Amino acid sequence: MRDDEPREAACIVKFADALQRAGISKLVLHAWERRYDVQLSERTATGRRFMTETQVERLRLLKLCTDAGYRIANIISLPDLELLRIAEQHALRLDLCSTLDAAQRLDSAALSADLERRVSELGPLDFVRRVVSPLMDEIGKRWQDGTMSIAAEHLVSAEVRRILSDCLHRFPVAPDATRAVATTPEGELHELGALVITLLSRSHGIDTLYLGPNLPNDQIVNAALRSGARVVFLSCLVSSRRNASGPIVALRGALPPHIALFVGGPGASDMAPLDGVSIFPNIESINAALRDIGTAALPARGLSNETR
């Protein structure tokens, strides 16, 4: 090892090799460092540039995120885990090209075959994480910007709903399992989120009864009491700022204290903390809570906002 090289030679990468692995040029790297006052590489005592394996990986993730359409100014300060999440989501969207193409063509046979193949290869849980979640996000964006028709969105939703419903029987639960109910609030017709939470909760050993969408509060309370549920799962697609959180507050007040109320989905992403309500804006955030419910008794007064 040369005197001017770092001692941990096994953990370093030559500058040219690092740039090649990350897929960017020296000019781009210098521009990022100068413009945003960040240090993305190291120097030896004599000024020779090199990178650590960690720095190479970060640079690779930054490149992947910019390729996905993110401005470097908006991501340069993000932690590595967030960059990895963005890169993975982009890769998942790219993998869905055949699915989206079938939807755009309103080819129900091709769409059904594509989704059936994916759930067969991945299994129900990875199908939700790697197909359903990114697929519905992408379709929502395309519908909003006018590049996908309402008919195409409805076709995909119907096919995904059918497959998720078929998957529910794959997770039998014990007779003494914690019971729950899953639905959407009155006026919310999009039920895929409630189906997803039913599937995920059953995979964690929770005996979850799926009630369908668009349920008035009094019916939710009645179903929870009659079924002996300890948890109510509520899926919200519409933003709480437009739909207000009043009905959720009213539901929390109508439910007995020992029944926990979980609210999840895109509509929960900007929801202000609510007393006695656990808010989960995405799938990742709810999995740990589901594991806890499936393996231990709930506290006497349910759960709090701390899981947000």
Side-chain angles (χ1 to χ4, degrees):
M1 183 173 68
R2 294 166 52 102
D3 292 339
D4 65 341
E5 290 181 347
R7 291 186 180 274
E8 300 295 332
C11 299
I12 70 169
V13 182
K14 291 181 179 180
F15 190 57
D17 293 341
L19 293 179
Q20 184 177 32
R21 283 171 53 181
I24 72 166
S25 69
K26 183 165 60 175
L27 289 177
V28 169
L29 176 70
H30 290 169
W32 288 356
E33 290 183 322
R34 182 177 61 255
R35 189 175 302 163
Y36 303 107
D37 192 26
V38 295
Q39 182 178 325
L40 298 172
S41 61
E42 305 288 341
R43 289 185 184 272
T44 67
T46 57
R48 294 170 61 86
R49 280 208 175 209
F50 69 94
M51 289 187 187
T52 65
E53 289 287 352
T54 300
Q55 288 172 322
V56 174
E57 177 61 11
R58 178 168 180 79
L59 197 59
R60 187 186 72 85
L61 290 174
L62 287 170
K63 175 63 164 56
L64 288 174
C65 291
T66 56
D67 288 348
Y70 287 80
R71 296 181 58 196
I72 187 63
N74 296 333
I75 63 173
I76 192 70
S77 299
L78 293 179
D80 289 358
L81 283 177
E82 181 62 17
L83 294 176
L84 179 60
R85 187 193 67 79
I86 293 172
E88 287 180 341
Q89 289 299 311
H90 179 60
L92 291 175
R93 286 195 296 271
L94 290 178
D95 186 51
L96 292 173
C97 287
S98 61
T99 313
L100 291 165
D101 179 64
Q104 291 280 33
R105 293 184 283 107
L106 296 180
D107 188 339
S108 61
L111 178 63
S112 179
D114 183 277
L115 292 174
E116 290 284 2
R117 173 184 61 80
R118 292 177 185 275
V119 74
S120 177
E121 293 174 350
L122 297 172
L125 300 184
D126 274 346
F127 177 71
V128 166
R129 184 179 66 85
R130 298 181 57 184
V131 177
V132 176
S133 182
L135 176 62
M136 300 317 296
D137 285 346
E138 184 65 19
I139 285 178
K141 292 174 183 176
R142 294 190 181 197
W143 179 80
Q144 286 185 337
D145 63 23
T147 58
M148 177 166 279
S149 67
I150 297 176
E153 186 269 335
H154 284 185
L155 176 62
V156 175
S157 296
E159 284 297 325
V160 172
R161 183 187 308 115
R162 178 184 63 79
I163 291 176
L164 291 179
S165 297
D166 289 343
C167 288
L168 290 180
H169 74 275
R170 301 191 191 185
F171 298 100
V173 292
D176 59 347
T178 298
R179 291 183 177 178
V181 296
T183 185
T184 72
E186 187 172 16
E188 175 61 81
L189 301 177
H190 294 82
E191 62 182 308
L192 292 186
L195 271 170
V196 165
I197 192 59
T198 301
L199 187 66
L200 291 176
S201 60
R202 287 191 183 181
S203 75
H204 287 287
I206 304 167
D207 186 4
T208 304
L209 176 65
Y210 177 59
L211 302 175
N214 188 28
L215 209 59
N217 278 356
D218 63 329
Q219 295 299 309
I220 297 174
V221 173
N222 181 264
L225 293 174
R226 292 184 61 187
S227 65
R230 297 292 305 281
V231 188
V232 170
F233 295 120
L234 203 62
S235 172
C236 297
L237 181 68
V238 180
S239 169
S240 62
R241 289 179 181 173
R242 289 185 294 166
N243 201 34
S245 56
I248 294 174
V249 173
L251 177 59
R252 175 65 277 177
L255 287 169
H258 71 276
I259 298 181
L261 177 58
F262 282 22
V263 180
S269 61
D270 61 357
M271 188 175 293
L274 300 173
D275 187 32
V277 180
S278 296
I279 300 172
F280 301 92
N282 52 55
I283 290 175
E284 292 81 4
S285 65
I286 199 171
N287 258 323
L290 291 175
R291 283 194 297 271
D292 291 342
I293 296 173
T295 58
L298 288 170
R301 293 186 61 81
L303 303 180
S304 69
N305 273 305
E306 295 176 359
T307 48
R308 180 182 170 90

